[in-house]
Structure formats: structure tokens, C-alpha cells
Amino acid sequence: MTGDTSPPSTGRRGLIAFSWLWVGAPLAYGLYELVRKATQLFTG
Amino acid sequence: MSPPVAPAGWSRWLVPPAALSVHLSIGQAYAWSVFKPPLESALGLSGTQSALPFQLGIVMLGLSAAFGGTLVERNGPRWAMTVALICFSSGFLLSALGAATEQYWLIVLGYGFVGGIGLGIGYISPVSTLIKWFPDRPGMATGIAIMGFGGGALIASPWSAQMLESFGSDSSGIALAFLVHGLSYAVFMLLGVVLVRVPRTGRSPDGEPAALPGPRVPARSAVRTPQFWCLWIVLCTNVTAGIGILEKAAPMITDFFADSSAPVSATAAAGFVALLSAANMAGRIGWSSTSDLIGRKNIYRVYLGAGALMYTLIALFGDSSKPLFVLCALVILSFYGGGFATVPAYLKDLFGTYEVGAIHGRLLTAWSTAGVLGPLIVNWIADRQEEAGRHGASLYGLSFVIMIGLLVVGLAANEFVRPVHARHHLPEPKEAADDRRHQSA
């Protein structure tokens, strides 16, 4: 019903971690910059 | 080109990052304003001219999503992501050439026309695949991807600004920045091309049926149903209401509290705009995931009904309380993002997964219309009010009344949405029907 429900193999787990890190790292950078800017509403 | 089918043991959790790699890249479009001042001074352009590549890009997004949707469905997500990668990256490379040779038309052609095709095809590329992998949580799945489109600008805005600071804001510095953008986004989007897979027809890798049986409505039939046009109105009014705030957020908060004891500084207004971006992004994943629990029709009742209430509160009491103004604006922007992210799942509920990507592409013309309508309403009315000698919050009062009216129209359109009549459905394919018979036997 929902795709693969069996636990992924170690290789696949590594690939999942890598792919989420690939997209998560730049997104975290963007969010960090956003938070820095947003705090100006309260301090500026 | 046949779509890439997942081998046994392929995890569906590899598909959202594939989608995000594309959406986080093409979301750069909303950070185009970073390039405007350097382009204006380096190439001697006016503000209108420097906005042209972005505007053409958004027009091409709408057109390519509307007309390319069927091709995306036919050729699959890997083909679509490859086209998006090639168009989006080569758009930047052409723009680099344009900046280096000071040929402005090449930047318009590259970023606007070629890159714009990449925006449209990239935007719809993962939608139907995600819905097929996550039939139990389609709202969450498309919410993750479409949140990426909002996130793309958050990444690109500071990144592009830092690059221009390092390379310089003259034509060769801009050219180098465009070149680095084109190459970086090509590498980044490659993850999506490599990782994306469609589930095996009728069966997931562990042998279970891959998707719930549902209606199978082709795109050409969908656009002839009242449901499609009701949803078109719903999306258009919801987006118009969001853009009404987003378009003039910084001057709006400044005007609202210009006569108060604590006026809003330009720095604080920039912080307000950043907070709105955060609410927009959070709404995409948060509200869209909530729709999996409470249903699509109900969540749009919230977006449109509570959205109208928020606008009413701003119109009546917004200038007397800064926290109330900020809170209402944040809620409206979260509904704006939520509306974008939930609509693919709504389409899937009504028309099934058969050509949901193509139907979604056609529905995005509502976004293009709202993109013109929202800013037009707010700016035109504010200008007329200013000419009449008004100032502060009264510049926006009439705009807010119109936004409330539009949201009520959207709310009514949502109430008219009913299941699609069976005469629009295609018959279930024999293989899937046999599979279901075997499952139940």
C-alpha cells in the first residue's frame, strides 16, 4: 500500500542518510540566515 | 522514454530528497531580486528591465507546467527532472554569457525563457511520483517537495548576495556568479535525476498493491469538469490573498505603524518579511500534512474561512496592535503556502493518480493569474489612496475588503467541489483489476 515497508538494507540506509543530508545541509543554511534576519523584527 | 521503475527493496524515503533537490534549486527564482541592483548598474538597466528575466521566467513556468504536464506524465519523473536540470542550468550559463558580453537580451532569453521552462517542468516533475509512493500521506509528501520551492529562495538569497560580494558587482562579477549558479545547480539537481523511481505498476517492491484503487481521469477530461474550475478559483483566490500581503509586506507594516509611538524601522520591516517567508514554508509542510488527517475540503475551509477572518482582524484592529498585525499576517502566509502544497493531494482525491501531474500543471495557470491580480489590486489601490491624500493603514483598507470578498468566493467554490462523475473516469486497467482480485481471493 505504501511502497516498501521492509527495513532498508545497510547500503540503502546509507543512501537515505546521504540524500537527506544533501538537501538538508543547504536548507539548514537557508533557515539559519532566515532566523538571523527575522530577529531584526524584534531588535531593529 | 520509459519511467525508471524501483527495484525490489527500494525505499520510498529516497523519493522526497530527489524531489527536494529539484524544488530547492528552482525555488531560486524568488531570489532573483538579489541580481537586480548589480544588473541595473552594470548594464545601465531600468528597474522594469531588470525584472524582465524573472517575469518571463514565471510566465514560462505557468506555460510549461500547463502544456508540458502530459509529456511529464508520459515520460516519467527522470525525464522531467533531466529536462528541468538542463533548462534551468543552461539558463544560467546563457545568462553568464549575456553578462560577460553585456548582451542583456541573452539574460532575458537564458534565465527567463530557457530557465523558465526548467521552472515549470521541474515544479511538476515529482508531484505524481510522490503521490504514488505515499498514497497514505499524499499531503505530507507533496508538502515536503513544495516546501522546497519556498526554501530555495532562503538558500539562494544569502548565497547569491555573498557571491556577488566576492566576485564584484560589475558585469564580469555577475557573469561569474551566473556561471557558478548554473554549474552548482546542475550538480545539486543531479541527485534527483539519479534517485527518482516510480513504484512498480500495481505492486510495491514488497508485493503489496502500490496504490489505492481510485478514479482514473485523464487531464483532457479533468479540465472539462466543474471540479477542476472550482479548484482553480480556490487556488487563485487563496494565492491572491497571500500575495496581497507578501507583495507589499515591508512598506505595509511601515505604513500601518507610521503614526504610532513605536514606528517600524526598515531593518525591522526586513525582519518581518523574513518571518513571512518562514510562515509560508512552515504552512507548506504543516498544513498540507494536516490535510491528510482532516481532509482536503476541510483544510481549504480553514485556509479560506480563517484567512478571511484574519484579513478582517487586520482591517479592523491591525493598526492598533503590532503583535496582532504580525500574527494575522503570519497566519495568512501560512495558508498561502498550505494552499499551494495541498492542491496536488486534492487533485489526487478527485481525479486519481493517473495524470495528476498533468492536471496540476494546468491548474497552475491559477497561480499565474493570481500573480498578476494580487499585486495589481494592492498597488493600484494604494497608489489611488495616496493620490487622494490618505496615508498609513488607510492606504490598504479597500484592498483588504477586496481580499476578504475573494476569499469568500473561494470558500463558496470549495463548497461546490463534489466527487467527479463516473462518466469522466477511464476503465481500470486489466492488470490492476486482476491484481486486486488476486489480493481479495
Side-chain angles (χ1 to χ4, degrees):
Chain A
M1 200 68 69
T2 59
D4 193 357
T5 52
S6 58
S9 64
T10 314
R12 289 272 153 78
R13 274 202 292 270
L15 186 59
I16 293 169
F18 170 77
S19 61
W20 279 98
L21 196 65
W22 181 270
V23 293
L27 189 58
Y29 160 74
L31 285 172
Y32 167 73
E33 292 289 336
L34 174 79
V35 171
R36 261 176 24 130
K37 211 169 173 185
T39 50
Q40 292 172 351
L41 176 62
F42 309 104
T43 57
Chain B
M1 186 176 184
S2 57
V5 179
W10 193 256
S11 170
R12 65 176 179 166
W13 290 103
L14 287 164
V15 185
L20 272 173
S21 74
V22 173
H23 270 240
L24 283 172
S25 301
I26 60 174
Q28 180 280 337
Y30 277 141
W32 171 255
S33 57
V34 173
F35 289 107
K36 282 183 66 178
L39 276 173
E40 285 163 23
S41 57
L43 303 183
L45 304 173
S46 68
T48 313
Q49 284 174 315
S50 67
L52 193 59
F54 168 76
Q55 286 169 329
L56 180 61
I58 295 297
V59 170
M60 290 310 297
L61 185 160
L63 291 176
S64 53
F67 292 106
T70 309
L71 275 176
V72 171
E73 289 295 344
R74 193 179 304 151
N75 295 322
R78 179 170 290 166
W79 174 87
M81 287 180 180
T82 307
V83 170
L85 184 157
I86 292 169
C87 290
F88 190 62
S89 296
S90 52
F92 268 115
L93 300 185
L94 277 171
S95 300
L97 186 65
T101 57
E102 301 195 359
Q103 296 291 317
Y104 173 62
W105 66 271
L106 258 177
I107 300 175
V108 178
L109 174 77
Y111 189 89
F113 187 81
V114 181
I117 296 171
L119 295 182
I121 300 296
Y123 193 90
I124 59 171
S125 63
V127 167
S128 103
T129 306
L130 281 165
I131 288 175
K132 284 170 189 160
W133 276 107
F134 292 86
D136 53 335
R137 280 181 277 179
M140 181 212 70
T142 55
I144 291 174
I146 292 174
M147 176 199 72
F149 196 76
L154 300 187
I155 299 166
S157 188
W159 184 56
S160 306
Q162 279 173 7
M163 212 179 290
L164 287 168
E165 211 176 293
S166 308
F167 298 156
S169 296
D170 56 350
S171 55
S172 59
I174 299 168
L176 192 54
F178 280 150
L179 180 70
V180 173
H181 276 71
L183 297 176
S184 306
Y185 280 124
V187 173
F188 192 71
M189 291 167 86
L190 204 56
L191 180 92
V193 175
V194 172
L195 275 188
V196 77
R197 300 279 191 284
V198 293
R200 283 186 287 172
T201 313
R203 284 178 183 280
S204 70
D206 58 346
E208 294 296 318
L212 293 166
R216 286 163 44 85
V217 183
R220 64 176 187 283
S221 301
V223 295
R224 289 200 285 264
T225 62
Q227 287 83 353
F228 177 87
W229 292 105
C230 283
L231 273 193
W232 195 95
I233 293 169
V234 164
L235 185 65
C236 186
T237 52
N238 191 51
V239 175
T240 304
I243 290 181
I245 294 268
L246 201 57
E247 160 71 11
K248 276 183 89 78
M252 195 181 278
I253 193 169
T254 312
D255 288 338
F256 257 75
F257 300 99
D259 298 332
S260 72
S261 56
V264 176
S265 68
T267 318
F272 173 61
V273 175
L275 259 187
L276 291 181
S277 304
N280 177 8
M281 246 185 86
R284 287 170 192 242
I285 181 73
W287 292 121
S288 192
S289 301
T290 309
S291 77
D292 290 333
L293 304 172
I294 67 168
R296 250 59 80 174
K297 196 166 186 169
N298 282 334
I299 202 83
Y300 274 94
R301 282 178 176 136
V302 174
Y303 298 158
L304 299 156
L309 181 68
M310 293 297 132
Y311 259 116
T312 309
L313 287 174
I314 290 184
L316 294 177
F317 312 111
D319 57 345
S320 57
S321 165
K322 213 181 287 178
L324 180 78
F325 177 90
V326 172
L327 186 71
C328 291
L330 290 179
V331 174
I332 290 170
L333 260 291
S334 77
F335 291 160
Y336 166 81
F340 272 123
T342 316
V343 89
Y346 209 164
L347 291 170
K348 174 252 173 196
D349 293 349
L350 292 168
F351 303 106
T353 57
Y354 177 59
E355 283 193 343
V356 68
I359 301 169
H360 183 220
R362 284 156 172 80
L363 195 78
L364 291 181
T365 50
W367 176 10
S368 310
T369 309
V372 175
L373 209 59
L376 194 71
I377 293 170
V378 177
N379 288 313
W380 189 83
I381 290 176
D383 289 347
R384 297 291 85 75
Q385 300 288 343
E386 210 163 1
E387 281 169 19
R390 294 198 174 86
H391 70 286
S394 57
L395 294 177
Y396 306 99
L398 181 58
S399 302
F400 290 167
V401 173
I402 293 173
M403 294 301 171
I404 294 164
L406 284 173
L407 286 168
V408 172
V409 170
L411 191 62
N414 187 45
E415 292 307 313
F416 285 115
V417 174
R418 299 275 183 275
V420 175
H421 194 280
R423 72 170 180 274
H424 297 291
H425 296 190
L426 288 180
E428 194 176 7
K430 191 176 171 300
E431 187 189 326
D434 289 347
D435 270 356
R436 278 202 302 116
R437 265 197 296 279
H438 289 137
Q439 292 289 325
S440 58

